[in-house]
Every structure is written in C-alpha cells, then in structure tokens.
Amino acid sequence: MRSAFFGNMDQGQQLPGHFALQNSKMLRVHLNGDVLARQGSMVAFQGQMDFDYEGAGGIGKFMKKALTGEGVPTMRVKGQGLLFLAHDADDIHLFYLENEGITVNGSNILAYDAHLQSDIKRVQGAGIAAGGLFNTTLTGTGWVALTTHGTPVMLDCGRAPTFVDGQSAVAWSSHLQVGVNRTFKMGALIGRGSGEAMQLAFQGQGFVLVQASEGPTIPPHTH
C-alpha cells in the first residue's frame, strides 16, 4: 500500500495513475471509464461525463447500510475528461492499494476506483464494547481518496501498540488486530470529546490514519 501526505505538493502536480491532487482540498480524476464518488462532491468537470446514483450493490449491502448507518451515498461517474471533487474544503489523503485492503470510516470516503470491492463489516474486537462499530472495507488494486477534518497523521502500528479515539480514526490496514482499551480511572478525561474513557487499540504491521479532530462540530440549535 502506497500512501503519502500530499498537502505540500505544488498545485496541479501529477501523481502516478489517474487520481491526483489539484491542491490539498481538491481531487482531480483523469477519467477514462468510471469511478465511484461521494454524492454531491463534484465541483467541476471538463469533458463528457454522466452522473448516476449508485445503489447499495445488492440487498445484502442495502440492509447493512440501513441497519448500521455506515457508509456514504455514492454516485457512479462515467466518461472521459477531468473530474474535480471536494467536500467541505476538507483535507484529502490518497492511498494506492495493491491487492490489499483498507478499513475506512465511510463518512470519510471521497472517491475510489470502481473496480475495488467494498463491504460493511463490524470492527472485530470493538463491536460490542464500542456500541456496535461498523466500518467500510475496500479491497483490491486501485486508488482511494479520503477526506479528513484537518491535516491527519499516519501512525505506524508496527513500532508500538497504538491507541486512537474512535471518532478520530479515519482508516487503517484491514489486517491489523483491533481491540478496545479501557481507562479504569474514574472521571479520566481522554480524547477531545466529553471525557470518553475508551479507545481503539491497534496491533500488528500496518498503519492507522488519524485526523486532527473528532470531526466537524455541529452548530447548536438557536430555536
């Protein structure tokens, strides 16, 4: 799996393959076929393209999305030309999978190669304790573009056991061992939220991508 932080690249610099960063907030896809993208993420395109709602991919996936709330509505873009994608001016991080898998928080998916296989799975070792944690898995060979709230950090779990707030963990190598780390001190304030005392624990050879917050803040109601 190849990955890098591309936020400091020159505007318009080309990456290998057909996914590239126009800048740190915008993805450029050199389209010659089809790609799956987050609905509503198209900001511009040049060329001839068709945009179609992408269904759940069978009754099984539809039921998983309905029951778990995991995943993000996607559209299939077909055609030829340049496609520009973005979401709320979030930072964008690119991965290139080489016959391997990545586990992703579905709400962080911006786009991925249409031939990658996707599924919704329970995070083993964390499902019950974490209140039923489900994520999206993408497997195969191809590009994946993820969004993060703020500039993320990539942690190498092979160097030491790694613990991450569940809402800050954007993606990780699908073969990592995942569990739950509990804090036994009463009233311990851990994480950036309201004092959660439980984190995801990662072990093995692989990485976890951590964003700089627990996600965008929802404005309070004024009425």
Side-chain angles (χ1 to χ4, degrees):
M1 182 183 299
R2 298 203 304 271
S3 171
F5 295 100
F6 300 118
N8 294 325
M9 295 179 64
D10 293 335
Q11 181 171 336
Q13 184 171 342
Q14 177 68 44
L15 298 173
H18 66 277
F19 276 32
L21 288 187
Q22 183 66 27
N23 53 57
S24 65
K25 311 290 187 180
M26 187 178 296
L27 175 69
R28 184 176 75 249
V29 180
H30 291 249
L31 190 61
N32 185 19
D34 58 351
V35 68
L36 294 177
R38 183 189 186 104
Q39 283 188 27
S41 63
M42 187 277 292
V43 294
F45 69 93
Q46 293 179 305
Q48 298 295 324
M49 299 184 189
D50 292 322
F51 298 80
D52 295 307
Y53 169 77
E54 179 70 11
I59 188 64
K61 287 185 180 179
F62 175 81
M63 291 300 295
K64 286 182 180 179
K65 285 188 176 182
L67 292 173
T68 65
E70 168 62 19
V72 63
T74 56
M75 59 184 178
R76 184 177 294 268
V77 188
K78 300 179 181 178
Q80 293 182 330
L82 295 178
L83 172 66
F84 298 89
L85 303 172
H87 179 67
D88 289 343
D90 285 341
D91 283 13
I92 299 175
H93 193 91
L94 296 182
F95 292 95
Y96 186 77
L97 305 181
E98 296 179 290
N99 194 28
E100 53 198 326
I102 186 175
T103 298
V104 183
N105 184 331
S107 62
N108 293 95
I109 295 175
L110 179 63
Y112 58 93
D113 276 323
H115 55 265
L116 290 175
Q117 298 295 313
S118 67
D119 199 0
I120 297 173
K121 296 183 178 180
R122 182 188 295 272
V123 178
Q124 294 187 2
I128 297 177
L133 180 61
F134 292 84
N135 270 13
T136 299
T137 60
L138 298 172
T139 56
T141 298
W143 284 101
V144 178
L146 305 180
T147 59
T148 63
H149 190 63
T151 304
V153 63
M154 179 86 79
L155 300 178
D156 181 359
C157 301
R159 301 181 62 180
T162 303
F163 306 93
V164 181
D165 181 285
Q167 294 178 336
S168 297
V170 172
W172 59 85
S173 304
S174 58
H175 56 267
L176 284 175
Q177 298 177 17
V178 185
V180 170
N181 179 56
R182 293 180 177 273
T183 299
F184 294 98
K185 295 180 181 179
M186 295 296 293
L189 297 180
I190 294 181
R192 296 175 55 86
S194 57
E196 55 266 59
M198 186 168 58
Q199 311 89 43
L200 294 180
F202 299 92
Q203 289 187 345
Q205 297 298 318
F207 74 90
V208 57
L209 183 70
V210 184
Q211 65 184 0
S213 77
E214 293 182 331
T217 301
I218 299 176
H221 291 290
T222 57
H223 60 278

